[in-house]
Amino acid sequence: MASAHRHARQSRNAWLTPSEMFAPYYGAAFARCALMMHRKKTMEQGKDPEQVTLRMVEVGAGRGGLARGAMAYLKEKGGHQGWTYLCTDVSQASLACLEKLEGASTMQMDATDPKQWEKLASEEHTFVIATEVLDNLPHDRVEKDTRGQWQQTHASVQKEIDKHARPGMELRPLQDPLLQRCFEHLSILDSDAARQFPLPSWFPALWKKKITHKDGGSVHFLPTACLEMLEAMHQTLPAHTLIAQDFDTLPDIKISGKNAPLVVKTHIHQLQDGQDAGDLPDEDLDTFLLKEEEMGQCDVLFPTDFDWLSTLFQSTAESHGRRCVARHAMAREFLESFGDVYATSTRSGYNPMLEEFPNTRIFIGQASP
C-alpha cells in the first residue's frame, strides 16, 4: 500500500488502475488474447497469420501502462507476426507520455466523435482495446414519472442569483435523439428477442455467459456516450473485435438510480512533496450537480452495466448490417486464461492480479460484415 501511495503522489493520480498496478502482465494478457484470436481466425480463412497484420487500437491509452505491456509481449512472443499498435487519448498530457513508447503510433481522439473515428476507417479486422474508458464516459439521467412516462433530466444553473449555488434539476419530456436511440436499442432487454449468434470457433471458450437483466427502478443513468462510441466504431470498422475492461460495481455510491455515478471530491492534486495521499481523504458526494468551484476537484465514475453494453453492441452492429457476438465475464476468468498468473503469485499463494479488483469484468464483442 505504501508503494501505491508513492505512485499516487508521484503521478498526482487519485485512481490506480489494474493495468498500472499489474504492469506489464495485465497488458500482456490483452495482447495474448488478441494474438490468439487473430491467429485462429486467419487460419480458418485459409491464410497464414504471420502474413496478415495484427491491427490494434487502444482507446483512452492514458500514460501507456497497458500498451507498454502489450507491445512487450508482442515483441517477445509474437514471432514473425506483423502488428501495429495505435494509442489514442483525448488528453494532450497523456499523448506526451504515449509518444515516448517505442513501437506505438499516437493520435489525439475523442472516442465519442464519429468524425475522429473516420481517421481509423479500415476494412481490415481491428482489435479495439478499451480499459477504464466506459466509466469516464458521460451518461444521461432519465426518470419515470407518476404516469409511467420516461423523462429526460436537465440541470438548471442560475448564476445571476447565486454563482456559488448548486445547480437545480428539472424533468422534461424525452425528446433528445441520442436518448431516444439508446432507449430503442435497449428495449430489447424487455423482450425475449435477444439475438444470440453462434460463437465462432476462434472465440475464447470461456465466454459462455448469458445476458441477463434486472429492472433498475424509476431512475436510470443511460450510457449515451458509450452508444455514440459503438455507433462510430461499427460505422468505420466493419470487421473488429472490442475488448473492454471496466468496473461493474463501485463502492460507496450515495446517488440513487441504476448505474448512478460515484462522485468523489478529491484533494490529491494538492499533495505537496513528502505528503502522503492518506493525509488528504476523499469525500464522497451525494449529488452529481456540482458547484462551479467544485469543477476540476471531483471525479465522476459510472459503473458499467455489461448486460447493457452487450445489448448495445449487438443492436448497433445489426443496425449497421453486421453480424456479431458479445460476451462478458469476470476479469479473473480472463486473466486465468490469458495472463501469466505465475508471475503475479506470491509465496503464500495469494495473487493480487486475480484477487484484487473483484468488481472488474471483461467484455469481448466481435463484429463482421
Side-chain angles (χ1 to χ4, degrees), residues 166-235:
R166 195 171 296 283
M169 185 173 65
E170 60 179 280
L171 300 179
R172 300 178 186 175
L174 185 62
Q175 296 179 339
D176 181 80
L178 179 59
L179 267 173
Q180 291 176 336
R181 291 204 309 276
C182 197
F183 261 97
E184 181 179 349
H185 287 301
L186 292 177
S187 65
I188 190 174
L189 294 171
D190 299 322
S191 69
D192 296 325
R195 293 166 286 277
Q196 295 292 325
F197 290 111
L199 289 179
S201 59
W202 51 270
F203 213 73
L206 72 103
W207 306 96
K208 303 294 186 181
K209 305 300 179 184
K210 292 184 178 179
I211 296 175
T212 59
H213 176 65
K214 295 181 179 179
D215 180 43
S218 61
V219 175
H220 288 178
F221 289 81
L222 297 184
T224 44
C226 175
L227 172 59
E228 289 182 301
M229 183 182 78
L230 294 176
E231 288 177 333
M233 194 182 306
H234 287 301
Q235 177 65 35

Side-chain angles (χ1 to χ4, degrees), residues 20 28 38 40 52 55 96 106 114 210 224 246 282 295 308 321:
E20 293 173 312
H38 168 78
K40 290 181 179 179
V52 180
R55 188 171 187 255
T106 61
K210 292 184 178 179
T224 44
D246 231 300
D282 295 335
M295 300 293 184
W308 278 4

